PDB file of all heavy atoms in Angstrom:
ATOM      1  N   ASP A 216     -19.904 -40.013 -45.611  1.00 96.00           N
ATOM      2  CA  ASP A 216     -19.883 -39.312 -44.305  1.00 96.00           C
ATOM      3  C   ASP A 216     -18.820 -38.211 -44.351  1.00 96.00           C
ATOM      4  O   ASP A 216     -17.681 -38.467 -44.073  1.00 96.00           O
ATOM      5  CB  ASP A 216     -19.565 -40.297 -43.112  1.00 96.00           C
ATOM      6  CG  ASP A 216     -19.696 -39.603 -41.796  1.00 96.00           C
ATOM      7  OD1 ASP A 216     -19.573 -38.434 -41.724  1.00 96.00           O
ATOM      8  OD2 ASP A 216     -19.852 -40.317 -40.809  1.00 96.00           O
ATOM      9  N   GLU A 217     -19.165 -37.073 -44.788  1.00 95.00           N
ATOM     10  CA  GLU A 217     -18.144 -35.988 -45.038  1.00 95.00           C
ATOM     11  C   GLU A 217     -17.290 -35.646 -43.819  1.00 95.00           C
ATOM     12  O   GLU A 217     -16.158 -35.512 -43.972  1.00 95.00           O
ATOM     13  CB  GLU A 217     -18.845 -34.761 -45.655  1.00 95.00           C
ATOM     14  CG  GLU A 217     -19.594 -34.966 -46.868  1.00 95.00           C
ATOM     15  CD  GLU A 217     -18.717 -35.237 -48.105  1.00 95.00           C
ATOM     16  OE1 GLU A 217     -17.374 -35.081 -47.931  1.00 95.00           O
ATOM     17  OE2 GLU A 217     -19.072 -35.569 -49.245  1.00 95.00           O
ATOM     18  N   ALA A 218     -17.965 -35.545 -42.671  1.00 96.00           N
ATOM     19  CA  ALA A 218     -17.235 -35.175 -41.429  1.00 96.00           C
ATOM     20  C   ALA A 218     -16.176 -36.286 -41.117  1.00 96.00           C
ATOM     21  O   ALA A 218     -14.986 -35.932 -40.729  1.00 96.00           O
ATOM     22  CB  ALA A 218     -18.203 -34.981 -40.276  1.00 96.00           C
ATOM     23  N   GLU A 219     -16.638 -37.488 -41.223  1.00 96.00           N
ATOM     24  CA  GLU A 219     -15.705 -38.600 -40.799  1.00 96.00           C
ATOM     25  C   GLU A 219     -14.627 -38.715 -41.895  1.00 96.00           C
ATOM     26  O   GLU A 219     -13.478 -39.045 -41.591  1.00 96.00           O
ATOM     27  CB  GLU A 219     -16.429 -39.936 -40.736  1.00 96.00           C
ATOM     28  CG  GLU A 219     -15.588 -41.148 -40.408  1.00 96.00           C
ATOM     29  CD  GLU A 219     -14.759 -40.968 -39.136  1.00 96.00           C
ATOM     30  OE1 GLU A 219     -15.109 -40.130 -38.275  1.00 96.00           O
ATOM     31  OE2 GLU A 219     -13.784 -41.840 -39.030  1.00 96.00           O
ATOM     32  N   ILE A 220     -14.923 -38.431 -43.157  1.00 95.00           N
ATOM     33  CA  ILE A 220     -13.923 -38.548 -44.223  1.00 95.00           C
ATOM     34  C   ILE A 220     -12.729 -37.516 -44.000  1.00 95.00           C
ATOM     35  O   ILE A 220     -11.598 -37.849 -44.021  1.00 95.00           O
ATOM     36  CB  ILE A 220     -14.514 -38.214 -45.634  1.00 95.00           C
ATOM     37  CG1 ILE A 220     -15.396 -39.400 -46.018  1.00 95.00           C
ATOM     38  CG2 ILE A 220     -13.507 -37.963 -46.651  1.00 95.00           C
ATOM     39  CD1 ILE A 220     -16.340 -39.029 -47.200  1.00 95.00           C
ATOM     40  N   GLU A 221     -13.232 -36.283 -43.610  1.00 95.00           N
ATOM     41  CA  GLU A 221     -12.236 -35.251 -43.322  1.00 95.00           C
ATOM     42  C   GLU A 221     -11.478 -35.512 -42.104  1.00 95.00           C
ATOM     43  O   GLU A 221     -10.236 -35.408 -42.055  1.00 95.00           O
ATOM     44  CB  GLU A 221     -12.969 -33.954 -43.233  1.00 95.00           C
ATOM     45  CG  GLU A 221     -12.027 -32.773 -43.163  1.00 95.00           C
ATOM     46  CD  GLU A 221     -11.401 -32.455 -41.808  1.00 95.00           C
ATOM     47  OE1 GLU A 221     -12.100 -32.770 -40.776  1.00 95.00           O
ATOM     48  OE2 GLU A 221     -10.354 -31.940 -41.792  1.00 95.00           O
ATOM     49  N   ARG A 222     -12.113 -36.052 -41.047  1.00 95.00           N
ATOM     50  CA  ARG A 222     -11.467 -36.277 -39.719  1.00 95.00           C
ATOM     51  C   ARG A 222     -10.468 -37.421 -39.837  1.00 95.00           C
ATOM     52  O   ARG A 222      -9.360 -37.374 -39.428  1.00 95.00           O
ATOM     53  CB  ARG A 222     -12.487 -36.619 -38.708  1.00 95.00           C
ATOM     54  CG  ARG A 222     -11.928 -36.722 -37.277  1.00 95.00           C
ATOM     55  CD  ARG A 222     -12.855 -37.487 -36.283  1.00 95.00           C
ATOM     56  NE  ARG A 222     -13.009 -38.938 -36.608  1.00 95.00           N
ATOM     57  CZ  ARG A 222     -12.083 -39.782 -36.169  1.00 95.00           C
ATOM     58  NH1 ARG A 222     -11.103 -39.440 -35.445  1.00 95.00           N
ATOM     59  NH2 ARG A 222     -12.202 -41.060 -36.581  1.00 95.00           N
ATOM     60  N   SER A 223     -10.877 -38.544 -40.463  1.00 94.00           N
ATOM     61  CA  SER A 223      -9.973 -39.633 -40.550  1.00 94.00           C
ATOM     62  C   SER A 223      -8.831 -39.425 -41.422  1.00 94.00           C
ATOM     63  O   SER A 223      -7.658 -39.838 -41.112  1.00 94.00           O
ATOM     64  CB  SER A 223     -10.802 -40.918 -41.022  1.00 94.00           C
ATOM     65  OG  SER A 223     -11.394 -40.695 -42.276  1.00 94.00           O
ATOM     66  N   LEU A 224      -9.019 -38.667 -42.511  1.00 92.00           N
ATOM     67  CA  LEU A 224      -7.848 -38.413 -43.355  1.00 92.00           C
ATOM     68  C   LEU A 224      -6.801 -37.467 -42.659  1.00 92.00           C
ATOM     69  O   LEU A 224      -5.621 -37.586 -42.845  1.00 92.00           O
ATOM     70  CB  LEU A 224      -8.319 -37.767 -44.787  1.00 92.00           C
ATOM     71  CG  LEU A 224      -7.193 -37.546 -45.854  1.00 92.00           C
ATOM     72  CD1 LEU A 224      -6.567 -38.895 -46.170  1.00 92.00           C
ATOM     73  CD2 LEU A 224      -7.874 -37.006 -47.002  1.00 92.00           C
ATOM     74  N   ARG A 225      -7.414 -36.521 -41.961  1.00 93.00           N
ATOM     75  CA  ARG A 225      -6.556 -35.567 -41.255  1.00 93.00           C
ATOM     76  C   ARG A 225      -5.676 -36.364 -40.266  1.00 93.00           C
ATOM     77  O   ARG A 225      -4.440 -36.137 -40.097  1.00 93.00           O
ATOM     78  CB  ARG A 225      -7.362 -34.479 -40.521  1.00 93.00           C
ATOM     79  CG  ARG A 225      -6.459 -33.500 -39.801  1.00 93.00           C
ATOM     80  CD  ARG A 225      -7.325 -32.472 -39.057  1.00 93.00           C
ATOM     81  NE  ARG A 225      -7.988 -33.081 -37.960  1.00 93.00           N
ATOM     82  CZ  ARG A 225      -9.433 -33.230 -37.838  1.00 93.00           C
ATOM     83  NH1 ARG A 225     -10.050 -32.910 -38.953  1.00 93.00           N
ATOM     84  NH2 ARG A 225      -9.944 -33.723 -36.833  1.00 93.00           N
ATOM     85  N   ARG A 226      -6.304 -37.267 -39.529  1.00 93.00           N
ATOM     86  CA  ARG A 226      -5.497 -38.072 -38.473  1.00 93.00           C
ATOM     87  C   ARG A 226      -4.588 -39.029 -39.162  1.00 93.00           C
ATOM     88  O   ARG A 226      -3.465 -39.330 -38.638  1.00 93.00           O
ATOM     89  CB  ARG A 226      -6.567 -38.755 -37.597  1.00 93.00           C
ATOM     90  CG  ARG A 226      -7.268 -37.790 -36.715  1.00 93.00           C
ATOM     91  CD  ARG A 226      -7.916 -38.506 -35.557  1.00 93.00           C
ATOM     92  NE  ARG A 226      -7.026 -39.209 -34.669  1.00 93.00           N
ATOM     93  CZ  ARG A 226      -7.362 -39.926 -33.623  1.00 93.00           C
ATOM     94  NH1 ARG A 226      -8.709 -39.995 -33.333  1.00 93.00           N
ATOM     95  NH2 ARG A 226      -6.451 -40.529 -32.885  1.00 93.00           N
ATOM     96  N   LEU A 227      -4.952 -39.545 -40.316  1.00 89.00           N
ATOM     97  CA  LEU A 227      -4.026 -40.373 -41.011  1.00 89.00           C
ATOM     98  C   LEU A 227      -2.683 -39.616 -41.331  1.00 89.00           C
ATOM     99  O   LEU A 227      -1.684 -40.156 -41.333  1.00 89.00           O
ATOM    100  CB  LEU A 227      -4.650 -40.909 -42.320  1.00 89.00           C
ATOM    101  CG  LEU A 227      -5.195 -42.314 -42.402  1.00 89.00           C
ATOM    102  CD1 LEU A 227      -5.882 -42.604 -43.663  1.00 89.00           C
ATOM    103  CD2 LEU A 227      -4.091 -43.319 -42.167  1.00 89.00           C
ATOM    104  N   ARG A 228      -2.941 -38.481 -41.895  1.00 87.00           N
ATOM    105  CA  ARG A 228      -1.723 -37.621 -42.298  1.00 87.00           C
ATOM    106  C   ARG A 228      -0.843 -37.380 -40.992  1.00 87.00           C
ATOM    107  O   ARG A 228       0.393 -37.349 -41.140  1.00 87.00           O
ATOM    108  CB  ARG A 228      -2.179 -36.312 -42.891  1.00 87.00           C
ATOM    109  CG  ARG A 228      -2.743 -36.496 -44.300  1.00 87.00           C
ATOM    110  CD  ARG A 228      -3.267 -35.277 -44.828  1.00 87.00           C
ATOM    111  NE  ARG A 228      -3.707 -35.352 -46.303  1.00 87.00           N
ATOM    112  CZ  ARG A 228      -4.668 -34.658 -46.766  1.00 87.00           C
ATOM    113  NH1 ARG A 228      -5.460 -33.827 -46.056  1.00 87.00           N
ATOM    114  NH2 ARG A 228      -4.987 -34.807 -48.085  1.00 87.00           N
ATOM    115  N   GLN A 229      -1.448 -37.241 -39.856  1.00 88.00           N
ATOM    116  CA  GLN A 229      -0.691 -36.969 -38.681  1.00 88.00           C
ATOM    117  C   GLN A 229       0.104 -38.200 -38.253  1.00 88.00           C
ATOM    118  O   GLN A 229       1.283 -38.148 -37.970  1.00 88.00           O
ATOM    119  CB  GLN A 229      -1.631 -36.571 -37.500  1.00 88.00           C
ATOM    120  CG  GLN A 229      -2.270 -35.226 -37.629  1.00 88.00           C
ATOM    121  CD  GLN A 229      -3.408 -34.938 -36.687  1.00 88.00           C
ATOM    122  OE1 GLN A 229      -3.826 -35.858 -35.994  1.00 88.00           O
ATOM    123  NE2 GLN A 229      -3.795 -33.694 -36.640  1.00 88.00           N
ATOM    124  N   THR A 230      -0.476 -39.400 -38.422  1.00 87.00           N
ATOM    125  CA  THR A 230       0.151 -40.669 -38.030  1.00 87.00           C
ATOM    126  C   THR A 230       1.276 -40.937 -39.033  1.00 87.00           C
ATOM    127  O   THR A 230       2.230 -41.598 -38.742  1.00 87.00           O
ATOM    128  CB  THR A 230      -0.811 -41.838 -37.988  1.00 87.00           C
ATOM    129  OG1 THR A 230      -1.360 -42.014 -39.224  1.00 87.00           O
ATOM    130  CG2 THR A 230      -1.774 -41.657 -36.905  1.00 87.00           C
ATOM    131  N   PHE A 231       1.058 -40.489 -40.294  1.00 80.00           N
ATOM    132  CA  PHE A 231       2.133 -40.687 -41.348  1.00 80.00           C
ATOM    133  C   PHE A 231       3.443 -40.283 -40.958  1.00 80.00           C
ATOM    134  O   PHE A 231       4.493 -40.869 -41.202  1.00 80.00           O
ATOM    135  CB  PHE A 231       1.611 -39.940 -42.566  1.00 80.00           C
ATOM    136  CG  PHE A 231       2.517 -40.024 -43.853  1.00 80.00           C
ATOM    137  CD1 PHE A 231       2.029 -41.047 -44.711  1.00 80.00           C
ATOM    138  CD2 PHE A 231       3.642 -39.302 -44.084  1.00 80.00           C
ATOM    139  CE1 PHE A 231       2.837 -41.194 -45.931  1.00 80.00           C
ATOM    140  CE2 PHE A 231       4.312 -39.433 -45.264  1.00 80.00           C
ATOM    141  CZ  PHE A 231       3.954 -40.471 -46.136  1.00 80.00           C
ATOM    142  N   GLU A 232       3.545 -39.095 -40.170  1.00 77.00           N
ATOM    143  CA  GLU A 232       4.813 -38.585 -39.780  1.00 77.00           C
ATOM    144  C   GLU A 232       5.429 -39.393 -38.715  1.00 77.00           C
ATOM    145  O   GLU A 232       6.630 -39.295 -38.350  1.00 77.00           O
ATOM    146  CB  GLU A 232       4.575 -37.105 -39.248  1.00 77.00           C
ATOM    147  CG  GLU A 232       4.053 -36.253 -40.371  1.00 77.00           C
ATOM    148  CD  GLU A 232       4.843 -36.229 -41.642  1.00 77.00           C
ATOM    149  OE1 GLU A 232       6.089 -36.343 -41.556  1.00 77.00           O
ATOM    150  OE2 GLU A 232       4.259 -36.173 -42.730  1.00 77.00           O
ATOM    151  N   ARG A 233       4.650 -40.181 -37.949  1.00 79.00           N
ATOM    152  CA  ARG A 233       5.232 -41.003 -36.880  1.00 79.00           C
ATOM    153  C   ARG A 233       5.661 -42.377 -37.204  1.00 79.00           C
ATOM    154  O   ARG A 233       6.210 -43.107 -36.324  1.00 79.00           O
ATOM    155  CB  ARG A 233       4.169 -41.060 -35.748  1.00 79.00           C
ATOM    156  CG  ARG A 233       3.693 -39.721 -35.188  1.00 79.00           C
ATOM    157  CD  ARG A 233       2.755 -39.915 -33.978  1.00 79.00           C
ATOM    158  NE  ARG A 233       2.335 -38.729 -33.358  1.00 79.00           N
ATOM    159  CZ  ARG A 233       1.004 -38.349 -33.344  1.00 79.00           C
ATOM    160  NH1 ARG A 233       0.151 -38.985 -34.009  1.00 79.00           N
ATOM    161  NH2 ARG A 233       0.725 -37.152 -32.836  1.00 79.00           N
ATOM    162  N   VAL A 234       5.308 -42.790 -38.396  1.00 76.00           N
ATOM    163  CA  VAL A 234       5.518 -44.241 -38.779  1.00 76.00           C
ATOM    164  C   VAL A 234       6.472 -44.341 -39.882  1.00 76.00           C
ATOM    165  O   VAL A 234       6.354 -43.517 -40.867  1.00 76.00           O
ATOM    166  CB  VAL A 234       4.160 -44.812 -39.118  1.00 76.00           C
ATOM    167  CG1 VAL A 234       4.371 -46.326 -39.634  1.00 76.00           C
ATOM    168  CG2 VAL A 234       3.306 -44.874 -37.853  1.00 76.00           C
ATOM    169  N   SER A 235       7.370 -45.291 -39.834  1.00 64.00           N
ATOM    170  CA  SER A 235       8.255 -45.694 -40.990  1.00 64.00           C
ATOM    171  C   SER A 235       8.051 -47.100 -41.351  1.00 64.00           C
ATOM    172  O   SER A 235       8.388 -48.028 -40.594  1.00 64.00           O
ATOM    173  CB  SER A 235       9.670 -45.489 -40.526  1.00 64.00           C
ATOM    174  OG  SER A 235      10.546 -45.969 -41.552  1.00 64.00           O
ATOM    175  N   THR A 236       7.406 -47.364 -42.515  1.00 62.00           N
ATOM    176  CA  THR A 236       7.210 -48.707 -42.890  1.00 62.00           C
ATOM    177  C   THR A 236       7.046 -48.796 -44.467  1.00 62.00           C
ATOM    178  O   THR A 236       6.838 -47.799 -45.101  1.00 62.00           O
ATOM    179  CB  THR A 236       5.876 -49.263 -42.301  1.00 62.00           C
ATOM    180  OG1 THR A 236       5.615 -50.547 -42.683  1.00 62.00           O
ATOM    181  CG2 THR A 236       4.629 -48.421 -42.749  1.00 62.00           C
ATOM    182  N   SER A 237       7.279 -50.019 -45.025  1.00 58.00           N
ATOM    183  CA  SER A 237       7.377 -50.158 -46.437  1.00 58.00           C
ATOM    184  C   SER A 237       6.129 -49.679 -47.218  1.00 58.00           C
ATOM    185  O   SER A 237       6.084 -49.274 -48.297  1.00 58.00           O
ATOM    186  CB  SER A 237       7.815 -51.586 -46.795  1.00 58.00           C
ATOM    187  OG  SER A 237       6.784 -52.453 -46.237  1.00 58.00           O
TER     188      SER A 237
END
Side-chain angles (χ1 to χ4, degrees):
D216 184 340
E217 298 291 349
E219 178 59 19
I220 290 167
E221 192 278 331
R222 188 197 71 84
S223 56
L224 187 58
R225 182 181 69 251
R226 291 195 60 180
L227 257 177
R228 287 172 173 150
Q229 292 168 352
T230 62
F231 185 94
E232 301 305 322
R233 299 189 178 113
V234 174
S235 169
T236 183
S237 57

